[in-house]
Amino acid sequence: MQNWRSISLWMDQLDEDLRPRPALAGDLDLDVAIIGAGYTGLWTAYYLKRQAPELKIAILEARFAGFGASGRNGGWLMGNLLGEDRALAPLPAAERMASFDLLHGIPDEVAEVVRREDIDCHLRKAGILYCAARYPEQERRLRDQLAALHAEGLDEADYRWLAPEELNGQLRIANPYGGIHTPHCATLQPARLVRGLARAVERMGVQLFEDSPVTHWEAGQVRTAQGRVRARWVVPAIEGYAASLPPLGKYQLPVQSLLIATEPLSDAQWAEIGLEHGQAFSESSRQVTYAQRTADNRLAFGARGGYRFGGRLREDFQLSVEEIDLRRYLMGELFPQLRNVRITHSWGGNLGMARRFRPHMLVDRRNGLALSGGYGGEGVGASNLGGRTLADLILGKDSLLTRQPWVLGDGPLSRLSAWEPEPCRWLGYNAIIRSFVHEDRVLADPHSAPWRRRMALKLADLMEGLMR
């Protein structure tokens, strides 16, 4: 096995000797076969066993629990779902608020599970700071977002504006224009969570087979090189690895997000930065930055990665000098005192992106299929919602979870929106990302002419609209 500690900062921090569990060897008859021991697969198994302990459930994992995005992400446990505003807008006000309450409750639900199962994953719930930090257009964008959130029925208890002096009380950045704080987020150590969940479901009686890549799946069965599993239900919980199991790759594309982490910073350095309570923070640009202060006092900092032609997975996450330097640059713009700090870890992962950027949960009772995915960059929390929802769908329950607009009901995979064929999606993705990079360069230059700034904004707005 490769040096698993090199996968991410989070894996390197584990205090266990990670050895893969035995592979599947022979045939099995089950109630539920789950493909993938990441968050979605583990949460689905957990909530199924909580409600129906008699079910025979097994998880088939190609490598080991946490090898994929669940052991590589930025550690934001968000009470949100990608595209929630578009999904909830058509609902009556009372239903919309019930859905927001469901989403906002995700961090507390996970906190209750980690308490119950004694999973020490450094969970701290102190919210998110969305900052206008590098140019004035960010303030206007954030204020527009705040107005839209309040128009949907949310209030100051959910999202409130922080003037620069109030923002400085929590996070001290070089050039603050203000920001938004929401309490509906926690930060955590993601590898500790996924490894702890794996142990929890095993204690509940779920079989977990590692080093068991699935070579074929269809209604009622899953095959590996060592054996075959027959099951009433199949749950392909593979998110960013959907391209490896046709036809899922038509509906979820792998895109990458890349991170760096500093050496542990001194108390004096943190006194200059803030984040005393484990807040997550982001600066409001389309570079999609995200960061947190780790339990061992590092700054973990990430930004949007890329997409490979044909939806090819990225296997090598040894970041290039250019990839590291971009993240160092963005971090240094916020915290000039960290421009020369030592970077000890750099890594990345594949995450799943659905067409129109809308996560989905679906059940096909005729073929015994249950699927949740397309979380984008919000999978730490969304996967918990997905696992709870799939458990209710499989058990035939009518609940608040199953009545949400992102639940597509009972039907085949073809109900999902498919991505365009190549080269259209590769050309489209790169055109969109280049417009974002151009916008950021123009707006970050204080000497850019006003007309250039307006043009860059309008182009990026137009291109972002094509993503939906």
Side-chain angles (χ1 to χ4, degrees):
M1 183 174 67
Q2 75 173 79
N3 177 14
W4 56 270
R5 289 195 180 276
S6 67
I7 287 174
S8 67
L9 165 69
W10 316 119
M11 299 299 288
D12 192 27
Q13 290 178 334
L14 291 180
D15 53 6
E16 63 179 285
D17 184 12
L18 190 154
R19 297 184 181 183
R21 296 165 173 86
L24 176 69
D27 295 348
L28 284 176
D29 288 299
L30 301 169
D31 296 304
V32 184
I34 297 172
I35 307 171
Y39 290 143
T40 299
L42 292 167
W43 282 125
T44 303
Y46 181 82
Y47 287 105
L48 280 171
K49 273 292 191 180
R50 287 274 295 175
Q51 299 178 76
E54 73 281 2
L55 290 178
K56 292 188 291 184
I57 304 172
I59 302 174
L60 302 172
E61 165 57 42
R63 303 295 287 275
F64 54 84
F67 174 81
S70 299
R72 302 169 184 260
N73 59 80
W76 283 31
L77 174 61
M78 301 175 68
N80 299 96
L81 192 69
L82 183 67
E84 65 185 46
D85 52 342
R86 290 173 287 145
L88 299 180
L91 299 182
E95 291 183 25
R96 185 167 65 247
M97 294 312 298
S99 297
F100 276 124
D101 289 343
L102 176 66
L103 294 176
H104 294 164
I106 291 172
D108 291 335
E109 169 66 20
V110 174
E112 172 60 22
V113 174
V114 302
R115 183 202 60 77
R116 180 191 308 133
E117 303 300 338
D118 194 24
I119 300 172
D120 180 11
C121 60
H122 305 161
L123 192 152
R124 300 163 295 174
K125 188 185 177 191
I128 307 173
L129 299 165
Y130 294 109
C131 305
R134 292 193 294 126
Y135 35 85
E137 286 83 357
Q138 290 181 327
E139 179 184 355
R140 290 198 291 274
R141 185 182 299 162
L142 278 179
R143 287 188 180 276
D144 288 346
Q145 291 173 6
L146 183 63
L149 289 164
H150 288 172
E152 290 171 1
L154 300 170
D155 59 24
E156 292 283 309
D158 298 302
Y159 294 90
R160 68 185 183 93
W161 183 257
L162 302 178
E165 58 275 13
E166 192 174 6
L167 176 61
N168 283 341
Q170 298 191 56
L171 174 66
R172 291 170 281 284
I173 51 182
N175 192 30
Y177 294 91
I180 296 173
H181 177 263
T182 175
H184 305 305
C185 181
T187 56
L188 51 73
Q189 211 281 21
R192 282 176 168 263
L193 175 60
V194 69
R195 301 294 297 175
L197 281 175
R199 291 188 291 270
V201 299
E202 283 186 304
R203 290 194 299 268
M204 299 168 80
V206 175
Q207 294 177 277
L208 174 50
F209 299 99
E210 297 181 323
D211 278 342
S212 300
V214 169
T215 57
H216 176 78
W217 73 284
E218 60 186 58
Q221 70 170 300
V222 175
R223 292 204 298 266
T224 74
Q226 295 83 24
R228 180 177 65 171
V229 175
R230 291 176 292 271
R232 170 66 185 91
W233 288 95
V234 175
V235 181
I238 52 178
E239 191 56 359
Y241 292 81
S244 65
L245 281 183
L248 297 176
K250 293 194 299 184
Y251 308 110
Q252 288 180 199
L253 292 185
V255 297
Q256 291 81 46
S257 198
L258 310 177
L259 299 96
I260 59 174
T262 69
E263 62 187 336
L265 303 178
S266 67
D267 291 345
Q269 288 172 307
W270 279 115
E272 294 180 352
I273 295 170
L275 300 180
E276 288 88 351
H277 306 295
Q279 301 96 319
F281 81 91
S282 173
E283 60 94 13
S284 182
S285 78
R286 278 181 263 238
Q287 296 279 19
V288 190
T289 60
Y290 50 96
Q292 66 149 303
R293 177 179 180 172
T294 68
D296 64 344
N297 287 321
R298 302 170 188 269
L299 184 65
F301 189 96
R304 185 198 301 273
Y307 166 73
R308 295 191 159 194
F309 186 86
R312 289 185 296 112
L313 289 168
R314 179 167 174 173
E315 304 286 355
D316 176 15
F317 281 102
Q318 184 173 347
L319 271 57
S320 69
V321 172
E322 292 77 15
E323 289 171 331
I324 293 172
D325 284 350
L326 172 60
R327 284 144 192 87
R328 182 188 280 277
Y329 160 75
L330 292 168
M331 182 179 71
E333 289 293 285
L334 302 173
F335 310 109
Q337 67 271 38
L338 299 185
R339 281 181 175 146
N340 296 316
V341 73
R342 187 165 65 95
I343 303 299
T344 59
H345 295 76
S346 61
W347 72 98
N350 297 294
L351 54 92
M353 192 68 74
R355 184 66 182 97
R356 306 192 192 286
F357 292 73
R358 293 184 177 180
H360 47 256
M361 297 159 200
L362 173 144
V363 64
D364 179 354
R365 297 194 176 280
R366 179 179 177 185
N367 292 300
L369 168 70
L371 178 72
S372 177
Y375 308 131
E378 301 179 5
V380 181
S383 59
N384 173 268
L385 181 74
R388 280 189 279 156
T389 303
L390 291 190
D392 277 10
L393 289 170
I394 289 169
L395 296 173
K397 294 189 172 185
D398 177 20
S399 67
L400 179 62
L401 288 162
T402 64
R403 293 193 296 270
Q404 296 305 308
W406 42 81
V407 179
L408 303 184
D410 189 353
L413 274 177
S414 58
R415 294 195 64 184
L416 300 176
S417 297
W419 283 92
E420 293 79 1
E422 295 290 19
C424 297
R425 64 192 186 207
W426 185 84
L427 291 170
Y429 180 90
N430 279 281
I432 291 167
I433 295 304
R434 288 188 179 189
S435 75
F436 294 170
V437 172
H438 172 70
E439 175 197 45
D440 198 69
R441 286 175 178 168
V442 171
L443 299 185
D445 180 0
H447 305 296
S448 294
W451 68 268
R452 289 195 67 201
R453 302 177 79 88
R454 290 193 298 271
M455 288 287 289
L457 272 167
K458 288 181 179 179
L459 176 61
D461 283 342
L462 174 65
M463 300 302 281
E464 188 173 48
L466 298 178
M467 297 166 70
R468 302 182 177 184

